[in-house]
Amino acid sequence: MPPRTCTARPHPRRLLLSAVALAAALVAASGALSPAEAGPQRDVRPAGPQGEVRIATFNASLYRSEAGALVDELSDPGSAHPQVIAETIQRQRPDILLLNEFDHDAEGAAADLFHDNYLAIAQHAEVEAITYPYRAQFASNTGVPSGFDLNRDGVIGESGDAYGQDAFGYGWFPGQYAFAVFSTHPIVEDDVRTFQEFLWKDMPGALLPSDPATDEDGDWYSEEILDVFRLSSKNHVDVPVQVGRDMIHLLASHPTPPAFDGPERRNVLRNHDEIRFWADYISPGQRSAYIYDDEGATGGLRPGARFVILGDLNADPCDGDSVPGAIQQVLDHPLVQDPLQASAGAVEQTESQGGINLEHCNPPQHDTADFSPRVGNLRVDYALPRTGMQVTGGEVFWPTTDWEHFDRLIGTFPFPGTDHRMVHVDVRLPVGGPR
């Protein structure tokens, strides 16, 4: 679900340049690489050095319009959309993978079926099957009924869009648009922390939406609603993964798009605070003391723990509709390093699509999603490791159109797989005890 765009800062020479020349000027001004300068992108990952771990996030658009429909589809190993997603994964071969927009089912059947019927079967002669012995699906607030008229249209929706608007997170049924983790390394299930039920009002200084018809702050939702309203539109999950003698905490989430609301900006503000949650969680001391998980344990991440913030965070550093500075809460955090993953394909699409992309201020090589002409392409998907972790590589998997498989695996709207691109970071863990 792409965020809407806001009025962006135009290039100062926009009126003097043709569309083609403008694209080139924007790339040069922003420091972006042209497709030729960016160099070739590996379409099949070679074996990495010992001790290197590839951690990736991928919004796969594996959501369906009815509960159980994804399980039914994945039961057949010949469905085209899952084949495209599986082949993309097999080409990039992440060791640890977060899949956003993967419908949740309580039995975990969808994750098992996607693994066994797609990932564990080579989808092309150029690639090998990939196996993930460790898999986890997580419950989501999407489609969970609130029992309240959250959008204040006078009714509590009972189905479809109306139902989704009044659920704790937008969804037509519980678990739509959820997420799952696939790993070649053990997931330490007993230490997983989920924050699905954390209340928005319990975040100090929360940006609660205000009714534009009043002079009060934070009064869009009644006290009765705020007593049950959850911060996370899906879930926030701390997933510890044991990698040899070390532990890496995957901080996984998928904040609501900053769109599809009114002047109260309830989704825009929620997106900001969903991102803020991780900025607070990784901060030691009082800043994270207010946090509690679904088991009642309090506080944030243990100081010194290694982590990677992962997910479709639905916020671009300077374009789109998010609250200014929303994503900078993690990008500029002193405990976070930004690998600035890039691709040549994103630059090519800015040059070829033109339009509002030419007014964007974020360098186009860092875009991760190919949205509509009204929105343009944005950087919304992130894999951000802790400061001090040794980063050995990372990219956005967005090949250029001269790649022989482009139309089949990437394409343009309507996309064969998804409008998002996989983003990964490669880290090398030092020799030492577990953390």
Side-chain angles (χ1 to χ4, degrees), residues 132-151:
Y132 292 104
Y134 309 98
R135 304 182 287 275
Q137 287 186 250
F138 299 99
S140 176
N141 285 325
T142 44
V144 175
S146 69
F148 292 96
D149 177 17
L150 297 182
N151 65 350

Side-chain angles (χ1 to χ4, degrees), residues 51-56 95-96 185 239-243 245-251 282 301-302 304-310 333-341 383-394 424-431 433 435:
E52 184 177 275
V53 181
R54 173 164 292 183
I55 302 171
D95 302 294
I96 303 169
H185 300 278
V239 187
V241 177
Q242 190 75 48
V243 183
R245 299 175 62 188
D246 276 274
M247 190 81 74
I248 298 177
H249 292 257
L250 311 179
L251 306 184
I282 63 177
L301 186 64
R302 181 176 61 82
R306 296 189 179 95
F307 64 81
V308 178
I309 296 174
L310 280 177
H333 194 287
L335 294 180
V336 174
Q337 56 178 318
D338 183 2
L340 286 170
Q341 294 96 332
L384 305 171
R386 179 191 171 96
T387 301
M389 294 177 68
Q390 183 182 0
V391 174
T392 57
H424 77 257
V425 62
D426 297 328
V427 297
R428 186 171 299 167
L429 297 179
V431 177
R435 300 186 71 175

Side-chain angles (χ1 to χ4, degrees), residues 41-56 86-97 126-132 182-185 243 392-395 397 399 403 422-429:
Q41 185 166 32
R42 293 185 183 273
D43 58 3
V44 179
R45 178 194 182 188
Q50 187 174 8
E52 184 177 275
V53 181
R54 173 164 292 183
I55 302 171
E87 183 178 337
T88 301
I89 295 167
Q90 289 170 349
R91 287 179 177 275
Q92 289 294 281
R93 311 192 75 77
D95 302 294
I96 303 169
L97 171 66
E126 292 179 357
V127 299
E128 296 180 359
I130 190 168
T131 58
Y132 292 104
F182 295 76
S183 179
T184 61
H185 300 278
V243 183
T392 57
E395 67 180 13
F397 184 62
W403 183 45
M422 183 186 294
V423 178
H424 77 257
V425 62
D426 297 328
V427 297
R428 186 171 299 167
L429 297 179

